[in-house]
Amino acid sequence: MPKPTLFFACLFALPLFGACQTPVPIPDYVKHNYDKTEVYIPMRDGKKLFTAIYTPKDHSHPWPFLMERSPYSSGPYGDTLYRGNLGPSSRLMRGGFIFVYQDVRGRYMSEGDFQEMTPAKDHKKGSKETDESTDTWDTVDWLLKNIANNNGRVGLWGISYPGFYASASLPDAHPAIKAVSPQAPVTDEFIGDDANHNGAFFLLDNFDFDNSFDIPRPAPVTNYDRTLFRADIRDAYDFFLKLGPVKNSNNAEYFNHQGKIWDEYLGHSTYDEYWRARNIRTHLKDIKPAVLVVGGWFDAEDMFGALRTYEAIEKQSTPNRNYLVMGPWTHGGWAGKTWTKFGPLDFQQNVNEYYHAVESEFFNHYLKDSAFTQPQAEATVFETGANQWKHYDTWPPKQAIPVKYLFQYDHRLGTDRAGLTGHDEYISDPANPVPYIDGVHGGRDNRYIVTDQRFAAARPDVLTYQTDPLTDSVTVTGRLKADIWLSSTGTDADLIVKLIDVLPGKEDGIATTTDPTSYQRLVRAEVFRCKFRNSFEKPEPLVPGKPTEVSFDLNEIDHVFKKGHRIMVQVQSSWFPLVDRNPQTFVNIPTAKESDFQKATIRIWHDEAHPSGIFLPVLK
């Protein structure tokens, strides 16, 4: 579950935050320029939330508040112990704000009970009923009345899980809240964030994360100094294959039903009330503060959250001041001072320098009335492949026209229906699932989202379709949609669809020690659990042998497939251990037995009656 602590982020060789990208501490700057106060702020139900407040030593004029609410600690604890940096960036730290850090209800030093993604309540039953919106309101109200030298304005930001709390401040926001920036916000954990994608459980992330996060806390603590169990995972593929069915995760040596959140996840395998109540999107209506939503094209955790939060506000709040920034980042990569490369990609610029200017102007404008040096674009988006920032007045841009690239005979990909005939097939074996990445990895390597897919193309259980070399560049900008006709000898299946840029040679910022010719660079991929093809609430079995249409959205891209490159699509039915194995029988997967896991022959149809393919929004 990728709402990672910095400790968790640093476990892997290339961590979730991309080289642990956090604002670089400036020695003693905070202590020399800010005074620190620790308080317990009372909520309307009587619970008190621990809050650390850093006020500028400069009292020459009033300052706005800039606050982060987090389940990951507001430490260091103690009036004489200072953070190494403040705010989203050093630029804002030096800009003059009253910085506020708060432990959310039930975490670290705050009172109360913690809930996973606290459900928002549009209609409170009484004056003492709470959710994250009321906790934010009560905190803001207290700060305005008790912290001297403030200008009456408040901004909030947060990355990942703290991004959720930023989003949760928006419904019925306190009128003093003027600017909010949800960054990679956890948003809907069944459809596209963290826990599940389209009903498929993200095993690797959640097994690791919940082991350190899902620890009982009978009383406030300054440190969660243990994990639920010890697991020395050197080869995640081998470990989880030997673990067997997901239910074995609750054996005595692992979770053993000690993990409240883990048991909640496994106990809710459809889009039931548990998940629907935690979908913050439905509550993002009539939003008054200005909003800057930030996400990364290579965020393996909450790319969905950023894109869908922006979308929800656009659709449900008119008029609005709602803006989007999407850059070439992994999870939280924009927080660091520099970001010039990721995995094999070289962006040939420090993209963070540009972003930090956008972010700073947003908060300075709405909290201090500073003028924008240039108009705030509706969508500020980094175009991969071309390595340039683009600005759009709508997102996705209206100029992008969906074009269906069809699977054709002889594994070709094209827009011409003349190539439609027959089907291709493969045997999907749960005992030999397709790895999500090449090589041996102990934890999740977040570079998988951009790496070479030739290792997968070489397998007999992966189908590949590709165009001829492009005679002109093709720019794809917007949301993708897979439209696949599938049949199986089983009664359930997973469908993983990958969009790939095939390079003709060593170029385009791809750095690899292997032969770069025909390098298959992953651009976007997504999984869909086929029993949810008609409803996430009411799964239905596949009818063995019957072609069935499975259509689903993939997250947006803004990517240039250059002249001479090929556009490729790969199709497979496992992505392990990133995603748990589908037994390929119609059962409740969290309680499935080893005997439920069966081989199945998967056919992908591409004839006139069953034209499988992928819709790409081509920018004209």
Side-chain angles (χ1 to χ4, degrees):
M1 161 118 173
K3 300 170 282 246
T5 61
L6 186 59
F7 169 77
F8 179 76
C10 294
L11 288 179
F12 304 146
L14 188 83
L16 302 186
F17 279 105
C20 296
Q21 291 288 342
T22 56
V24 177
I26 301 172
D28 296 326
Y29 180 88
V30 175
K31 196 167 187 176
H32 289 158
N33 290 276
Y34 289 87
D35 293 318
K36 181 186 178 185
T37 306
E38 295 183 343
V39 298
Y40 285 87
I41 298 179
M43 301 294 104
R44 62 191 62 187
D45 65 346
K47 300 298 182 184
K48 297 181 177 65
L49 304 190
F50 175 87
T51 310
I53 305 166
Y54 294 81
T55 55
K57 292 181 183 291
D58 179 359
H59 296 245
S60 61
H61 53 83
W63 304 103
F65 294 99
L66 194 50
M67 176 165 64
E68 180 191 62
R69 306 185 65 244
S70 174
Y72 296 140
S73 172
S74 295
Y77 298 97
D79 285 337
T80 61
L81 299 177
Y82 283 67
R83 298 175 67 94
N85 52 68
L86 296 173
S89 69
S90 59
R91 185 189 293 247
L92 283 165
M93 178 177 68
R94 293 177 177 274
F97 294 86
I98 302 171
F99 290 100
V100 179
Y101 292 85
Q102 185 175 75
D103 291 340
V104 298
R105 183 180 292 256
R107 291 291 294 176
Y108 285 88
M109 291 298 290
S110 284
E111 297 177 352
D113 296 320
F114 178 77
Q115 289 191 72
E116 168 72 348
M117 285 190 72
T118 312
K121 302 170 184 175
D122 290 337
H123 305 289
K124 309 293 190 296
K125 295 179 180 178
S127 60
K128 293 187 177 181
E129 191 169 18
T130 66
D131 59 11
E132 298 306 333
S133 177
T134 65
D135 281 358
T136 307
W137 177 294
D138 293 346
T139 299
V140 168
D141 213 51
W142 189 95
L143 291 169
L144 294 170
K145 295 172 181 176
N146 291 277
I147 301 301
N149 211 39
N150 75 77
N151 74 351
R153 300 186 190 186
V154 180
L156 289 97
W157 95 99
I159 298 173
S160 194
Y161 214 150
F164 160 74
Y165 293 103
S167 294
S169 75
L170 290 167
D172 300 316
H174 193 291
I177 298 177
K178 303 298 183 183
V180 177
S181 183
Q183 302 180 5
V186 186
T187 300
D188 187 332
E189 290 192 300
F190 193 83
I191 306 301
D193 284 316
D194 295 327
N196 301 272
H197 287 205
N198 298 311
F201 184 50
F202 267 50
L203 172 64
L204 177 57
D205 286 358
N206 290 280
F207 188 91
D208 286 343
F209 178 83
D210 281 11
N211 185 28
S212 60
F213 185 82
D214 200 4
I215 299 170
R217 191 211 69 162
V221 295
T222 59
N223 184 34
Y224 290 78
D225 57 0
R226 68 182 183 94
T227 57
L228 291 174
F229 56 85
R230 296 183 64 85
D232 184 17
I233 303 175
R234 305 294 178 88
D235 182 339
Y237 185 96
D238 180 67
F239 173 85
F240 285 104
L241 201 57
K242 289 177 178 176
L243 177 68
V246 173
K247 71 172 187 174
N248 293 348
S249 65
N250 265 321
N251 289 348
E253 63 266 44
Y254 301 119
F255 283 98
N256 197 23
H257 296 289
Q258 299 177 81
K260 176 179 179 290
I261 297 171
W262 185 257
D263 278 355
E264 288 173 355
Y265 283 2
L266 298 191
H268 298 275
S269 59
T270 65
Y271 198 44
D272 60 13
E273 181 56 29
Y274 175 85
W275 297 111
R276 292 196 301 270
R278 288 162 172 78
N279 173 17
I280 191 65
R281 288 183 288 171
T282 59
H283 305 277
L284 298 177
K285 301 174 182 177
D286 193 28
I287 301 304
K288 298 297 191 297
V291 181
L292 181 68
V293 184
V294 181
W297 288 135
F298 312 133
D299 187 342
E301 295 139 66
D302 297 305
M303 182 196 325
F304 175 96
L307 292 163
R308 304 286 74 83
T309 294
Y310 168 81
E311 178 185 59
I313 296 172
E314 282 297 295
K315 290 181 176 179
Q316 298 173 156
S317 295
T318 304
N320 63 60
R321 293 167 296 169
N322 180 39
Y323 308 102
L324 176 69
V325 178
M326 292 297 295
W329 299 297
T330 187
H331 195 60
W334 52 89
K337 183 177 180 181
T338 60
W339 190 266
T340 60
K341 299 178 180 179
F342 177 61
L345 306 181
D346 185 344
F347 309 119
Q348 302 167 359
Q349 59 190 287
N350 179 11
V351 295
N352 284 11
E353 184 175 350
Y354 178 84
Y355 163 69
H356 288 158
V358 173
E359 179 185 52
S360 296
E361 288 208 347
F362 171 78
F363 281 118
N364 284 327
H365 177 75
Y366 290 107
L367 300 181
K368 298 180 180 180
D369 290 329
S370 298
F372 284 116
T373 57
Q374 58 183 3
Q376 178 78 51
E378 178 72 16
T380 301
V381 174
F382 193 83
E383 188 175 72
T384 58
N387 283 344
Q388 60 182 345
W389 287 101
K390 301 293 288 290
H391 301 94
Y392 301 101
D393 55 12
T394 63
W395 183 261
K398 295 177 181 178
Q399 303 94 318
I401 307 300
V403 177
K404 189 171 186 180
Y405 280 74
L406 297 160
F407 301 169
Q408 301 173 337
Y409 74 95
D410 198 27
H411 297 279
R412 298 170 68 84
L413 183 71
T415 58
D416 187 354
R417 295 182 70 91
L420 295 177
T421 182
H423 62 263
D424 299 303
E425 66 180 40
Y426 55 90
I427 296 174
S428 176
D429 184 359
N432 183 28
V434 181
Y436 80 100
I437 193 171
D438 196 18
V440 175
H441 304 266
R444 193 255 284 147
D445 188 327
N446 60 350
R447 293 171 296 185
Y448 82 87
I449 207 165
V450 297
T451 52
D452 188 357
Q453 298 300 300
R454 283 180 289 185
F455 79 95
R459 290 178 59 107
D461 51 357
V462 177
L463 296 179
T464 298
Y465 303 90
Q466 67 177 340
T467 66
D468 290 332
L470 299 174
T471 56
D472 289 298
S473 294
V474 175
T475 301
V476 179
T477 305
R479 200 163 192 188
L480 316 180
K481 188 178 188 68
D483 184 29
I484 310 296
W485 286 88
L486 167 148
S487 66
S488 174
T489 56
T491 50
D492 192 16
D494 282 354
L495 188 60
I496 294 94
V497 175
K498 301 186 291 191
L499 179 67
I500 294 164
D501 188 347
V502 183
L503 279 64
K506 187 174 183 180
E507 55 170 75
D508 306 316
I510 294 289
T512 175
T513 56
T514 62
D515 175 16
T517 305
S518 301
Y519 189 98
Q520 297 174 8
R521 186 220 138 171
L522 186 61
V523 177
R524 183 66 70 242
E526 192 55 277
V527 58
F528 192 92
R529 192 143 280 172
C530 292
K531 64 183 175 182
F532 296 118
R533 63 196 179 280
N534 294 321
S535 168
F536 287 113
E537 293 84 3
K538 298 179 180 179
E540 301 173 28
L542 296 171
V543 178
K546 179 182 179 180
T548 302
E549 186 176 23
V550 180
S551 294
F552 62 95
D553 293 324
L554 291 77
N555 285 321
E556 290 94 318
I557 65 172
D558 190 350
H559 183 76
V560 177
F561 294 87
K562 291 184 176 180
K563 179 180 178 179
H565 291 213
R566 298 174 187 258
I567 300 174
M568 174 183 284
V569 175
Q570 287 181 1
V571 178
Q572 60 199 56
S573 288
S574 51
W575 212 16
F576 189 74
L578 187 69
V579 175
D580 68 330
R581 295 177 302 150
N582 191 319
Q584 303 181 147
T585 56
F586 186 69
V587 295
N588 180 42
I589 296 177
T591 59
K593 307 181 299 295
E594 190 67 55
S595 59
D596 293 322
F597 290 76
Q598 301 290 329
K599 290 182 181 181
T601 298
I602 309 292
R603 284 184 173 178
I604 303 299
W605 296 81
H606 46 73
D607 57 21
E608 278 289 347
H610 312 101
S612 294
I614 186 169
F615 286 96
L616 303 182
V618 177
L619 195 63
K620 300 296 184 181

